[in-house]
Amino acid sequence: MTFEELQARAQKKWKDIENASIPIIRVGVATCGLAAGAGEVIEAIEDELELEKLNLNVKIIKVGCIGCCYAEPIIDIQKPGKPRILYNYVTPDKAREIIRDYIVNDNPRPDLAMGTIGKEIVEDIPKFFELPYYKLQVRLATENCGTIDPRDIDQYIANGGFEGLRKAFSMKSDDVIEEVKKSGLRGRGGAGFPTGVKWGFCRGAKGSPKYLVCNADEGDPGAFMNRSILEGDPYRALEGMLIGGYAIGASECYIYCRAEYPLAIELITNALEQMEKDGLVGDNIMGTDFNFHFHLFLGAGAFVCGEETALMASIMGKPGRPVTRPPFPAISGLFKKPTNINNTETWSHIPWILRHGADEFAMYGTEKCKGTKTLSLTGKVLRTGLIEVPLGITVHEIIS
């Protein structure tokens, strides 16, 4: 199946959701939602529809976290011709009430609603993205989180998925690296080294094969940025790795993810299976001569393995201990071959840059640090959760 055929299939499926003649109920079932009781909420919704014998054709979509972890469980109802209405702190009893009042009797219950998504206005319900928690955010890496089903590749493709990869294939490898350099993207893992420069070092290094590594070993206390991205949109990071592999000249990638992320691991595995089935992983991707294969490696949760040399040692079956540099991984890394390591969030920005252009990405952020950054808000703050904001913003602006 060609990519155009995949897009046609996906767009038809998405159009059935966007222009549905039936109500669509999205339920956040990332780790935060499940921990807050989203599973019981789904059961209550299904039981209510069956109990009342409503004979309604209602579609339930399980999505990732939209970022408001503090407000979970969140359900999002979109009735035909109306905006999406989000309801927060939903209990099983509240879910049943919303189903009866809004799905059946068309009363949106503003007293229970958090906000709306869409151009249309619902009286007494604020627009979600104008709420204090969201008004300063710019969602690039997380743009699909909370909207698409992370288990459905068609929903990703219908929302621009793999268009960045197709754009990369129309360019020379060196030009892809130059585009990433021009964007000003720096590594989001902490060191902040310019991503395109790092890619250039690896591409120019002698030795074969070359490897890519995705660092998804997120061990910082209170951090869950990478986990949330993988639970809400695993395809985004995987597409970024495909683009990176093409640009650098690598054909294999190791995803190092801590075993404490069972849901993320499940979703990555499912995404890779779907991508392989659709010819987006393996040999001759999108009809090109580019071959690329993934290996999922589960870490045991050692904090130190978030450091790149310790991480590579762990993959190779050695104790996860950092070693001095040089040589840097770009010259001698995994299995002593040229290796490029970026973290999940860095990889997740790459498809957006290729799809929209380096200049668009560079519009956000500061002179020296372009783009956006995801942040985990935890501790003694009013609204805990995941945010994505332009670099340069202050902590006071975020939490006020």
Side-chain angles (χ1 to χ4, degrees), residues 187-223:
R188 298 304 195 237
F193 194 83
T195 303
V197 174
K198 191 175 186 179
W199 286 18
F201 288 157
C202 191
R203 178 164 179 77
K206 295 180 180 179
S208 181
K210 292 184 168 82
Y211 292 103
L212 292 191
V213 175
C214 173
N215 184 349
D217 189 68
E218 189 173 36
D220 308 68

Side-chain angles (χ1 to χ4, degrees), residues 96-205:
R96 295 185 184 95
E97 195 174 340
I98 293 168
I99 294 300
R100 288 194 297 267
D101 289 346
Y102 188 38
I103 297 293
V104 180
N105 296 317
D106 208 31
N107 173 10
R109 291 299 302 272
D111 57 315
L112 301 179
M114 184 180 191
T116 65
I117 296 177
K119 295 180 181 179
E120 302 87 349
I121 296 174
V122 179
E123 189 175 354
D124 296 326
I125 301 179
K127 289 194 173 182
F128 180 69
F129 291 117
E130 293 177 1
L131 294 174
Y133 187 81
Y134 261 100
K135 64 183 178 183
L136 298 177
Q137 294 195 45
V138 177
R139 292 163 63 84
L140 305 184
T142 60
E143 64 179 335
N144 290 330
C145 295
T147 294
I148 70 167
D149 181 348
R151 293 173 173 80
D152 188 346
I153 193 171
D154 285 331
Q155 293 190 31
Y156 178 67
I157 293 174
N159 284 275
F162 301 106
E163 288 182 6
L165 178 62
R166 185 164 64 167
K167 174 73 177 297
F169 284 158
S170 71
M171 304 163 66
K172 295 180 180 178
S173 298
D174 288 338
D175 292 338
V176 174
I177 293 176
E178 287 304 312
E179 187 74 3
V180 176
K181 287 182 181 178
K182 185 180 176 184
S183 75
L185 175 67
R186 290 176 176 269
R188 298 304 195 237
F193 194 83
T195 303
V197 174
K198 191 175 186 179
W199 286 18
F201 288 157
C202 191
R203 178 164 179 77

Side-chain angles (χ1 to χ4, degrees), residues 29-42:
V29 291
T31 295
C32 55
L34 291 172
E40 291 83 355
V41 168
I42 291 175

Side-chain angles (χ1 to χ4, degrees), residues 15 90 124 165 258:
K15 195 175 291 183
V90 179
D124 296 326
L165 178 62
R258 56 180 41 224

Side-chain angles (χ1 to χ4, degrees), residues 47-91:
D47 288 347
E48 185 66 21
L49 292 172
E50 183 177 348
L51 177 66
E52 296 294 330
K53 295 183 172 53
L54 301 174
N55 295 319
L56 291 176
N57 188 8
V58 176
K59 183 175 180 64
I60 298 174
I61 301 177
K62 298 177 181 179
V63 298
C65 177
I66 201 167
C68 304
C69 301
Y70 71 94
E72 294 284 0
I74 294 173
I75 67 171
D76 165 347
I77 299 179
Q78 182 175 4
K79 295 187 72 173
K82 297 183 179 181
R84 293 163 55 186
I85 301 180
L86 282 73
Y87 300 89
N88 56 338
Y89 305 117
V90 179
T91 62

